[in-house]
Amino acid sequence: MDTNAQLWYIIREYIGNSEERGLDSADLVSFLLELSFHSTGKAYNINTLSGIQRTIIRDLADLGLVKLQQGRKESWFIPTKLATNLSISLSDTSSRKQEYAVVETNFRMYAYSSSKLHCEILRLFARVEYQLPNLIVGAITKESLYKAFQNGITAEQIISFLQQNAHPRVAERIPTVPENVTDQIRLWESDLNRVECIPAHFFEEFPSREVFEAACDHA
């Protein structure tokens, strides 16, 4: 997932669990949106915040959205770029595209990048075979995808990542990622979902058949 999507994924979980920590979710969302309109790198006095907002700002510091600075008499919070980008729409990915990946119909993948970060991201779902100064060569395999699925990465996230980061030479092609590749990624994911485990209760040693049938009727 791109940075903004990851950020909102974490923020949604944070908002969802806010009531358990005694925070009002409406106040939390309002403060987050307000924070997104602050200036990056500018220090703001923590004393201007309410008690609840001070609690929130400490949590946001742990997430990297703000930095806290302690002065001799007063404390300050400094919004980072992550905080000021909160209001950016998740659907607006054009400004965040990296445009370096090419996927072929034989599942071979070429990434025109010298970034170690890009290489490590690709390792999450593909087998990286070798890395040249400006080119990463690898392949999408069943084993590499199974590893990704077990780590919580979904087929749709992988496909979306490849589409969003497609090299300009293939970005205008429809589809950007070959259909046989996207279909196979989804099929390999469905292989792991053939059996679904759900919590259940097991009752036994009923004193009589009548009690057993009454329990069945009630269920």
Side-chain angles (χ1 to χ4, degrees):
M1 299 167 72
D2 63 68
T3 303
N4 205 46
Q6 289 186 44
L7 175 61
W8 271 108
Y9 184 91
I10 295 171
I11 291 296
R12 281 198 301 268
E13 291 294 319
Y14 178 67
I15 294 171
N17 297 322
S18 60
E19 293 183 358
E20 297 176 7
R21 299 189 305 278
L23 301 174
D24 184 87
S25 57
D27 291 341
L28 176 55
V29 171
S30 176
F31 180 63
L32 287 170
L33 292 176
E34 180 184 326
L35 186 65
S36 70
F37 291 100
H38 284 53
S39 299
T40 303
K42 183 178 178 181
Y44 296 87
N45 197 319
I46 288 183
N47 292 332
T48 60
L49 304 178
S50 66
I52 292 176
Q53 289 176 337
R54 292 181 191 180
T55 301
I56 295 171
I57 211 72
R58 285 194 291 270
D59 292 338
L60 298 183
D62 292 335
L63 295 174
L65 273 72
V66 298
K67 293 181 180 179
L68 299 181
Q69 193 172 63
Q70 180 67 50
R72 289 185 177 179
K73 295 183 178 180
E74 297 179 323
S75 300
W76 311 81
F77 70 92
I78 304 169
T80 66
K81 190 176 291 185
L82 288 175
T84 54
N85 284 346
L86 276 174
S87 59
I88 296 177
S89 169
L90 285 174
S91 60
D92 179 20
T93 58
S94 58
S95 62
R96 301 189 297 277
K97 282 188 176 180
Q98 299 290 333
E99 299 184 336
Y100 59 87
V102 176
V103 181
E104 296 185 335
T105 55
N106 59 1
F107 293 85
R108 299 285 294 175
M109 184 176 62
Y110 303 91
Y112 293 88
S113 172
S114 57
S115 169
K116 290 185 178 180
L117 175 61
H118 290 166
C119 185
E120 292 307 311
I121 291 174
L122 296 175
R123 285 186 197 277
L124 293 174
F125 61 86
R127 184 186 69 213
V128 175
E129 297 175 348
Y130 49 90
Q131 185 175 8
L132 301 176
N134 64 340
L135 177 66
I136 303 165
V137 180
I140 298 173
T141 67
K142 186 176 183 179
E143 291 73 22
S144 65
L145 286 174
Y146 273 14
K147 182 180 177 182
F149 299 148
Q150 289 168 359
N151 288 331
I153 303 172
T154 67
E156 293 305 322
Q157 287 173 343
I158 293 171
I159 294 169
S160 176
F161 174 82
L162 292 172
Q163 290 171 339
Q164 290 179 13
N165 295 281
H167 190 276
R169 293 257 178 149
V170 298
E172 297 178 359
R173 180 173 76 188
I174 300 177
T176 306
V177 181
E179 280 186 336
N180 70 304
V181 175
T182 56
D183 289 346
Q184 189 62 61
I185 291 174
R186 293 187 179 103
L187 283 172
W188 279 333
E189 182 184 44
S190 67
D191 284 346
L192 299 178
N193 299 328
R194 288 180 180 174
V195 177
E196 181 181 359
C197 296
I198 59 173
H201 297 282
F202 178 61
F203 300 90
E204 61 179 346
E205 298 183 5
F206 289 91
S208 67
R209 185 170 185 82
E210 289 75 17
V211 176
F212 168 73
E213 291 176 348
C216 289
D217 292 340
H218 180 74

